Structures are given as structure tokens and as C-alpha cells.
Amino acid sequence: MKVLVVGSGGREHALCWKLAQSPKLTKLYAAPGNAGMEAVAECVPIGAEDIDALVTFARDTAIDLVVVGPEGPLVLGLTDKLEAAGIRTFGPSAKAAQLEGSKSFTKDLCRRANIPTAAYAHFTNANDALAYVREQGAPIVVKADGLAAGKGVTVAMELADAEAAITDAFDGRFGDAGAEVVIEAFLEGEEASFFVICDGERAVPLATAQDHKRVGDGDTGPNTGGMGAYSPAPVMTQDMIDFTMTRMIEPTLATLKADGMPYKGVIFAGLMITDTGPELIEYNARFGDPECQVLMMRMQSDLLPLLDAAAQGDLSGASVAWHDDPALSVVMAAKGYPGAYDKGTPINKLDEAAAPDNVEIFHAGTARTDGQVVATGGRVLNVTAMGASVAKAQALAYAAVDTIDWPEGFSRRDIGWRAIDRENA
Ligand code: AMP
Ligand code: GLY
């Protein structure tokens, strides 16, 4: 099969790395890809949101399956356009991708399908929203309704923070994404992520993971896209996984199908494990990044037939085998991230760092200039390892981080701390 992966991050590198191992693959393309993906895929210079150019390329190249990594092109309707051109695609339609693209869409769906999630209200003007938070009091959570690159959420521990977030959103800080806000009750607990693959009707569970969103050690400092992750998430028991399947995922798929927008692709459920069980924080219409990297390390089964079966609408009988060992990924970012940072700084000794068994370095923001790998983004490398325990995976990953020669980069030094504390308890 000829496969095209859309995207240029560590998530897409991990997908390409895994797809490249499939005996069913004849040729792999990535658009636009990055310096790391060049080792396993032919990178074509088409942006992930250049919908028309992607459709033309896929048609002209007779691609058998397109795998869409990020949410942007999904919300823009890449799947719809590819399918209209007769090209099989793994990823939801624009309508179904509203599960990630619109928080009020998902909250309404949760209400109708009786899915456990925080109580909420939806506002289209600042005054009503302000009156509501003053009545509810803090802590409370204010969310811009649309896609805001992960920056649209304020967990307000004080009323004044909630008021400021509302004022900012309606003043246009998130553009159209903030023209509406969802205000939610504050949930207390430990967060976990759960991933499933869907074919429009059925869902096959993948695995659990936890990420570290804050930039600093000890989960301090500003939020980021994710500074590291590990899988599985020890907080999620099998009972909680079953509960999430039957009380969240299955009713979600049934409701979307009944509404005429069957969901094909990955669902990433962000959960809060509260004292009374899992509550849904949000859905994403894609794999997590860097959660995908740890999932791909742990997956034993061939990924390609699984994604293809989902895209064809028939996952009946499908199951996925996993390595029991945990995997852990450390993000190396450019100094300054998530604020301003330099681009174009050289990175060396990547091959040496990735040499040990069970270590993979996925590229998230790199390019090759005259043969030299350089950093092109904020999050740049995902140094990923699998080991007999989270502590062992962590030690392997940090040995590789310490081998990499990139003076302008940094990483957190405590990825996996919660799971390692549990191992040591
Ligand atoms: P979201 O973009 O919806 O994933 O929210 C970003 C982060 O805000 C989540 O990962 C949580 O850490 C936090 N968060 C979102 N909703 C809530 C809530 N209702 N209660 C507590 N924390 C929340
Ligand atoms: N790492 C969190 C996300 O991909 O949304």
C-alpha cells in the first residue's frame, strides 16, 4: 500500500516510524514531514493545511491511504475532500472533528448522551458570562469555544482570574475561537489520557497515557503543548477503562452516528480521575503529541491494517497487542519555549544517542540544511524509550538526552515522576 501521512511533528514521525515496519507498506510519503521522517518516508513540501494541494498530490500519486496527524486539516475538511476524490482516509470528517473543534458541541453531546463531565454553561457575551462566574464563585474553568492551540483554557483559582479570562476572550484574544466561551465546574483529581480507534460505529481501545503540560520540573511554570509523556497511565485501572468505553466512547459514537456524522479516526479522551471515577475533560480528534510517540513504542501489532480497517469502516474483529513494558518520552525544546526562542541552531550526535535498543528519537521540529540537522520549532525532539519499569525507561531516555549535542536545547528532568513515585511506593 502507498500511504501518505499528513503533518510535521513528533506524532507524525512516530506514526511514520511504525507504519514503515508494516509488511503491507510499499511506499510512505509525509507532507510536509521533517528531517527525522526522511529516514522512513519521502517528504513532500506541501503544508498540512494546504488542502487542495494534498488532495491533488494524493490523487496524482494514487495513494491508497491518507493518515491525518493534526487537528487543523481535519477541522478544515481534509478528510471530506479526500474521500470525495475517492481516497481512503484515516481521520474524522469536519463535522465529526467538532468533537475537538467546538467545546460547546462536545458539552451538548455529553449532556444528551449522559456522559460524565463537569457541569457547564455556554455564553456568547461577556456580561452574562461574568454574572455567571460571580454567582458560581472560584475555582472555576473558562474555555474559549473553538481551537485555540491549547491556550484557550483558564483554570481560575480566584474569581478575578475567571473575570480576566472572560474579558480577554470577548476582547478577541483568541480571535473567533474566543467569541464564545464555555464555563465549567472545576474538577479535582489526576489527569489521564485514553485513546481509541473508531470506524464510524465501533471503537477498539488502544492504551492510556499521561503527559506533563507545564514547562518546568515539578509541573511548574506556563503550560505547553506537552513536555513529555508515558504509557500506560498507572492511575487508570481496567475498571476505569471499561467505564470510559461504555459510559463515554460508545455513547459518543452512537450519538454522532445517529446525528449523521459517524466518527472514523482516533478519539483522544482527556480524563480527570476524580474520587468518584473518570470524568471527561475534553475530546481530541487526533493522537496526542507526545502521547502518540509512547503509544507507538509500545504497540506490537501492525498499525497499517488497523488504520486501514478503521478508514474502511470495518474494525470488526480487530484487536491490538501491546508490549507490557512502559514507554516514556522526553521533549527537548529550544531554550525560551514556550516563549520566544532561536531557530536554526544545529543539533548533533543524534545517531549515537539513538543507538541503544529500545531508544527512538522522534523529530518534532527539525529540518536538514546542507546535511546539518537544525531546530525549526519550539518542541524539537521527542527522546523516547521503553524499559522494564517507568524508572528504567526514564533512565534510558535521559541517557540519550544527555548524549545529544544541542547547547540551545533543554528538557524537563522529571518526566514520569508520578508513575515512578508509585513504583517506589
Ligand atoms: P483542555 O484544553 O480542555 O484539555 O484543558 C486544558 C487543561 O485545563 C486540562 O488538561 C486540565 O488540566 C485543565 N482543565 C480543563 N477543564 C478542567 C476542569 N473542568 N477542571 C479542572 N481542570 C480542568
Ligand atoms: N499532549 C497533549 C495534546 O496533544 O493535546
Side-chain angles (χ1 to χ4, degrees), residues 133-158:
V133 294
R134 286 175 189 143
E135 177 196 316
Q136 297 289 318
I140 195 155
V141 182
V142 178
K143 303 186 174 184
D145 191 52
L147 288 179
K151 297 184 180 78
V153 175
T154 302
V155 178
M157 300 313 285
E158 310 290 340

Side-chain angles (χ1 to χ4, degrees), residues 103 118 141 143 150 153 155 184-188 191 213 223 272 281-282:
K103 298 207 187 276
V141 182
K143 303 186 174 184
V153 175
V155 178
E184 270 185 25
F186 173 76
L187 295 171
E188 194 145 24
E191 283 181 61
K213 289 202 169 72
N223 261 324
M272 187 71 85
I281 298 176
E282 61 161 357

Side-chain angles (χ1 to χ4, degrees), residues 34-35 332-335 337 341-348 350 363-369 372-381 404-410:
N34 65 35
M332 291 188 80
K335 280 180 186 165
Y337 174 80
Y341 50 81
D342 287 340
K343 288 190 181 179
T345 55
I347 306 172
N348 289 302
L350 286 166
H363 291 221
T366 64
R368 198 178 297 273
T369 318
Q372 171 68 52
V373 174
V374 298
T376 57
R379 292 191 298 168
V380 172
L381 298 169
I404 293 169
D405 177 12
W406 181 32
E408 292 79 12
F410 78 99

Side-chain angles (χ1 to χ4, degrees), residues 5 26 62 74 185 192 222 243 254 329 332 345-346:
V5 172
T26 52
L74 295 170
F243 177 89
S329 186
M332 291 188 80
T345 55

Side-chain angles (χ1 to χ4, degrees), residues 184-233:
E184 270 185 25
F186 173 76
L187 295 171
E188 194 145 24
E190 186 173 334
E191 283 181 61
S193 306
F194 179 58
F195 298 85
V196 298
I197 287 194
C198 313
D199 68 0
E201 197 167 332
R202 285 161 287 247
V204 174
L206 293 180
T208 60
Q210 277 178 307
D211 76 344
H212 293 267
K213 289 202 169 72
R214 303 298 192 102
V215 76
D217 284 6
D219 296 325
T220 55
N223 261 324
T224 69
M227 294 301 291
Y230 48 96
S231 171

Side-chain angles (χ1 to χ4, degrees), residues 35-224:
M37 284 188 242
E38 283 166 5
V40 285
E42 181 176 331
C43 296
V44 288
I46 304 175
E49 298 196 355
D50 192 348
I51 308 295
D52 292 338
L54 289 168
V55 174
T56 303
F57 174 80
R59 199 175 34 213
D60 292 352
T61 318
I63 296 289
D64 298 299
L65 177 70
V66 177
V67 177
V68 186
E71 65 279 14
L74 295 170
V75 171
L76 291 173
L78 178 57
T79 299
D80 309 73
K81 289 219 169 137
L82 285 166
E83 287 186 341
I87 299 155
R88 203 145 69 224
T89 306
F90 180 79
S93 66
K95 275 191 176 163
Q98 288 178 88
L99 217 48
E100 170 162 6
S102 165
K103 298 207 187 276
S104 58
F105 173 89
T106 299
K107 289 301 252 184
D108 283 346
L109 183 145
C110 287
R111 184 174 280 168
R112 285 160 57 212
N114 195 24
I115 292 170
T117 188
Y120 79 104
H122 176 216
F123 296 94
T124 51
N125 74 76
N127 284 341
D128 290 349
L130 288 168
Y132 180 79
V133 294
R134 286 175 189 143
E135 177 196 316
Q136 297 289 318
I140 195 155
V141 182
V142 178
K143 303 186 174 184
D145 191 52
L147 288 179
K151 297 184 180 78
V153 175
T154 302
V155 178
M157 300 313 285
E158 310 290 340
L159 184 59
D161 300 335
E163 291 172 339
I166 290 168
T167 310
D168 273 4
F170 286 105
D171 280 351
R173 179 162 155 219
F174 308 112
D176 284 347
E180 297 181 23
V181 299
V182 165
I183 300 183
E184 270 185 25
F186 173 76
L187 295 171
E188 194 145 24
E190 186 173 334
E191 283 181 61
S193 306
F194 179 58
F195 298 85
V196 298
I197 287 194
C198 313
D199 68 0
E201 197 167 332
R202 285 161 287 247
V204 174
L206 293 180
T208 60
Q210 277 178 307
D211 76 344
H212 293 267
K213 289 202 169 72
R214 303 298 192 102
V215 76
D217 284 6
D219 296 325
T220 55
N223 261 324
T224 69

